[in-house]
């Protein structure tokens, strides 16, 4: 089956129920081998216009379909994804590089989201409440917004797509989806699954291409009323500025500078496990990856020792191979950025404890691999402690107290995820209150969000919206207040109340 897709060679947009032949394409590279896997269309504003036209038409009908019936399609999507889990996971590893075990985890995240959002078809709760006048009824209901635009990243090409598209669909919207050009295969596969599950044509339209072409055309299209974007801070804030001008709803998730706090009473072996997994898993290319360790000075040396020991067991290479724990970096730009920050860290005076190099030689030929890297004795004002690197690089920052640890965690522009290792229950509760991030873990690393909870962050990470969880429905619905007067006479609110 994996072969089938790869034999397709050139992917196609899916607009109004049809696959369309692309005019221009670019290569999709397996980052572990350097081989071209398929080609992805580079679409234009015209393609977006066509997709929006189709989506507008389809959405009218779709919104009239009862939500539990819309949800039946998501149950079927979940069932098919489950059946194809292994196939999807292998393709995901090929296009994104993450190791197979993690790819399976990501596909599972999508399956979970399908069943969770399908359940929402029989909820989508609003509120009924009392009216202030006799013989009058009041309620609030969620209504779909119309055509929504989804711009999804390469690092979780299927999970994040499901966080956005499933709530949009169950709520009765139609979707224009621009997947990242690095990872179009997951989009192609999910689109095929939508079709097989019976989604009416035009409800989801996939338009492949670059942000500057397709993304901009989506943001600028007056009939796309919502943009949901996961990606870089710079692009996100440009999108928000434009959407603000057009009074368009926008939901943003733009990365993090996530820290694990290790207190002096922590189980250090467990903390080291949490750090190694959340810093070097997915080669550090998660928005939630741990890139700072804020450690109590009394346990710093012991923790360093444990982290270094555990890192030795991480085998780096092609994620399709059995014993590999760390896969490649997505592309040359990603690699250049990581190398730039290694140099910055050295220049700033942080001490390089391990790693710091791109891997070369026969074993790594064709791919882009970087050693898991640890800096220590970093300070919070250094750029390596402040800026997102998006690679397997972590910096240890020693602190003297719990208060300083919290303060250090919060002294960055981002606010996605944080974690604390401690056995002190008072510190646990204070930390969950005071760590200024959208996600907080206790005695676990900074990754591992589950789909039925809200995903997103404070400060520079986002703009107050959340992906996944029931909260995602707020992005794709309008609240409508409905008053039904059954008194048979004119009753004026606030006036005829006595
Ligand atoms: C992301 O990195 O953008 O919590 C998503 C996690 C995953 C999702 C990460 N469940 O790390």
């Amino acid at each position: 089956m994996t072969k089938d897709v790869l034999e397709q060679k050139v992917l196609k947009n899916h607009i109004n129920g049809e696959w369309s032949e692309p005019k221009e394409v670019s290569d999709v590279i397996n980052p572990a081998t350097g081989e071209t896997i398929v080609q992805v269309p580079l679409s234009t504003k015209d393609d977006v216009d066509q997709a929006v036209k189709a989506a507008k038409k389809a959405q009218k009908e779709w919104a009239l379909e009862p939500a539990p019936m819309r949800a039946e399609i998501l149950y079927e999507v979940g069932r098919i994804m489950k059946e194809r889990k292994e196939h999807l996971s292998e393709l995901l590893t090929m296009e994104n590089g993450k190791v197979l075990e993690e790819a399976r985890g990501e596909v599972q995240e999508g399956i979970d989201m399908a069943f969770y959002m399908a359940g929402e078809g029989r909820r989508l709760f609003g509120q009924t409440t009392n009216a202030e006048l006799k013989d009058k009824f009041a309620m609030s209901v969620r209504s779909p917004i119309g055509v929504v635009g989804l711009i999804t990243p390469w690092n979780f090409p299927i999970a994040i797509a499901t966080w956005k598209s499933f709530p949009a669909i169950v709520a009765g919207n139609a979707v224009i989806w621009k997947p990242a050009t690095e990872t179009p295969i997951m989009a192609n596969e999910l689109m095929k699954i939508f079709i097989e599950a019976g989604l009416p044509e035009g409800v989801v339209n996939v338009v492949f291409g670059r942000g500057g072409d397709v993304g901009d055309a989506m943001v600028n299209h007056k009939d796309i009323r919502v943009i949901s974007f996961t990606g870089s801070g710079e692009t996100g804030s440009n999108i928000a500025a434009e959407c603000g001008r057009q009074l368009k709803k926008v939901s943003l998730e733009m990365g993090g500078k996530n820290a694990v706090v290790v207190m002096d009473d922590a189980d250090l072996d467990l903390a080291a496990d949490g750090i190694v997994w959340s810093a070097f898993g997915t080669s550090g290319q998660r928005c939630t990856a741990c890139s700072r360790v804020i450690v109590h000075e009394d346990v710093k040396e012991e923790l360093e020792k444990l982290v270094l020991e555990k890192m030795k067991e991480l085998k780096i290479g092609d994620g399709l191979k059995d014993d590999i724990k760390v896969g490649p970096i997505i592309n040359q730009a990603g690699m250049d950025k990581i190398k730039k920050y290694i140099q910055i860290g050295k220049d700033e005076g942080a001490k390089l404890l391990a790693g710091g190099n791109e891997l070369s030689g026969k074993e790594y030929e064709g791919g882009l691999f970087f050693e898991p890297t640890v800096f220590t004795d970093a300070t919070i004002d250094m750029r390596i402690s402040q800026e997102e690197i998006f690679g397997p690089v972590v910096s240890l920052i020693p602190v003297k107290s719990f208060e300083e640890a919290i303060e250090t965690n919060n002294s960055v522009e981002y606010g996605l995820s944080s974690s604390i290792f401690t056995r002190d229950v008072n510190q646990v509760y204070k930390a969950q209150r005071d760590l200024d991030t959208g996600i907080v873990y206790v005695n676990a690393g900074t990754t591992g969000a589950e789909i039925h909870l809200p995903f997103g962050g404070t400060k520079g990470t986002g703009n107050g919206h959340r992906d996944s969880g029931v909260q995602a429905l707020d992005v794709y619905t309008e609240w409508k207040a409905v008053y039904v007067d059954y008194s048979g006479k004119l009753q004026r609110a606030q006036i005829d109340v006595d």
Side-chain angles (χ1 to χ4, degrees), residues 307-325:
V307 168
L308 293 182
E309 245 167 54
K310 289 177 194 287
M311 280 169 66
K312 286 200 196 106
E313 282 154 38
L314 298 175
K315 212 162 171 272
I316 304 158
D318 185 340
L320 283 178
K321 292 186 188 145
D322 274 349
D323 51 346
I324 298 296
K325 292 282 180 257

Side-chain angles (χ1 to χ4, degrees), residues 146-216:
V147 179
V148 305
L150 312 181
I151 303 176
T152 57
W154 54 262
N155 73 329
F156 274 77
I158 193 153
I160 293 180
T162 69
W163 295 354
K164 296 181 194 293
S165 62
F166 294 173
I169 292 168
V170 82
N173 300 283
V175 170
I176 311 295
W177 174 18
K178 188 200 97 59
T181 46
E182 291 86 348
T183 52
I185 296 178
M186 281 302 101
N188 187 60
E189 292 304 294
L190 187 56
M191 189 65 237
K192 287 197 299 197
I193 293 173
F194 280 137
I195 298 166
E196 280 176 59
L199 193 74
E201 52 191 44
V203 174
V204 173
N205 303 274
V206 179
V207 185
F208 292 108
R210 297 198 177 104
D213 305 319
V214 177
D216 281 2

Side-chain angles (χ1 to χ4, degrees), residues 109 153 155-156 159-160 163 230 253 285-289 390 416 439 441 446-450 455:
E109 212 166 329
N155 73 329
F156 274 77
I160 293 180
W163 295 354
T230 299
E253 201 275 284
Q285 299 174 113
R286 290 192 189 219
C287 304
T288 52
F390 229 64
L416 183 55
I439 306 169
Y441 292 94
T446 56
T447 62
E450 300 177 26
F455 185 93

Side-chain angles (χ1 to χ4, degrees), residues 3 9 53-54 60 74 81 104 126 133 223 240 265 361 385 396 412 486:
K3 244 175 114 208
K9 300 265 192 287
K53 221 166 127 196
K60 286 205 171 69
L74 286 187
M81 286 177 78
R104 290 188 188 113
L133 291 156
D223 291 332
D265 68 335
S385 308
L396 270 71
V412 289
Y486 53 97

Side-chain angles (χ1 to χ4, degrees), residues 263-266 402 406 420-434 440 442-443:
M263 292 311 300
D264 48 354
D265 68 335
F402 173 77
I406 301 287
I420 182 162
F421 284 84
T422 176
R423 291 175 165 118
D424 178 339
V425 70
N426 295 347
Q427 275 184 175
V428 167
Y429 277 87
K430 282 185 191 153
Q432 63 82 28
R433 182 192 62 197
D434 296 338
V440 173
V442 176
N443 293 329

Side-chain angles (χ1 to χ4, degrees), residues 268-474:
L268 294 183
D269 195 63
L270 179 64
D273 278 336
I275 292 163
V276 169
W277 164 235
S278 58
F280 306 129
T282 336
S283 311
Q285 299 174 113
R286 290 192 189 219
C287 304
T288 52
C290 163
S291 63
R292 298 182 295 155
V293 173
I294 299 168
V295 55
H296 193 286
E297 58 183 8
D298 292 352
V299 293
K300 190 192 86 158
E301 257 174 58
E302 176 70 11
L303 185 72
E304 282 172 0
K305 213 172 93 221
L306 287 164
V307 168
L308 293 182
E309 245 167 54
K310 289 177 194 287
M311 280 169 66
K312 286 200 196 106
E313 282 154 38
L314 298 175
K315 212 162 171 272
I316 304 158
D318 185 340
L320 283 178
K321 292 186 188 145
D322 274 349
D323 51 346
I324 298 296
K325 292 282 180 257
V326 179
I329 304 304
I330 189 73
N331 55 27
Q332 192 58 50
M335 178 61 89
D336 293 344
K337 187 174 174 194
I338 295 166
K339 286 182 175 166
K340 182 184 93 181
Y341 276 103
I342 299 298
Q343 193 54 49
I344 290 173
K346 287 179 184 165
D347 293 346
E348 285 177 317
K351 191 166 133 207
L352 187 64
L353 263 193
N357 299 300
E358 179 173 2
L359 290 162
S360 55
K362 187 116 191 63
E363 228 181 312
Y364 305 108
E365 217 173 286
L368 293 165
F369 298 96
F370 200 87
E371 289 178 310
T373 299
V374 182
F375 279 110
T376 192
D377 296 334
T379 54
I380 186 58
D381 53 316
M382 290 178 178
R383 286 181 66 189
I384 55 161
S385 308
Q386 290 286 333
E387 297 171 21
E388 193 178 43
I389 302 172
F390 229 64
V393 182
V394 70
S395 306
L396 270 71
I397 308 172
V399 292
K400 291 184 167 42
S401 66
F402 173 77
E403 289 71 24
E404 191 188 343
I406 301 287
E407 166 82 21
T408 304
N409 178 76
N410 294 347
S411 300
V412 289
E413 180 194 321
Y414 294 105
L416 183 55
S417 178
S418 57
S419 122
I420 182 162
F421 284 84
T422 176
R423 291 175 165 118
D424 178 339
V425 70
N426 295 347
Q427 275 184 175
V428 167
Y429 277 87
K430 282 185 191 153
Q432 63 82 28
R433 182 192 62 197
D434 296 338
L435 289 167
D436 188 3
T437 52
I439 306 169
V440 173
Y441 292 94
V442 176
N443 293 329
T446 56
T447 62
E450 300 177 26
I451 59 89
H452 52 298
L453 278 85
F455 185 93
T458 61
K459 301 190 286 185
T461 290
N463 65 339
H465 291 286
R466 292 292 183 267
D467 273 329
S468 86
V470 73
Q471 291 78 2
L473 291 170
D474 290 336

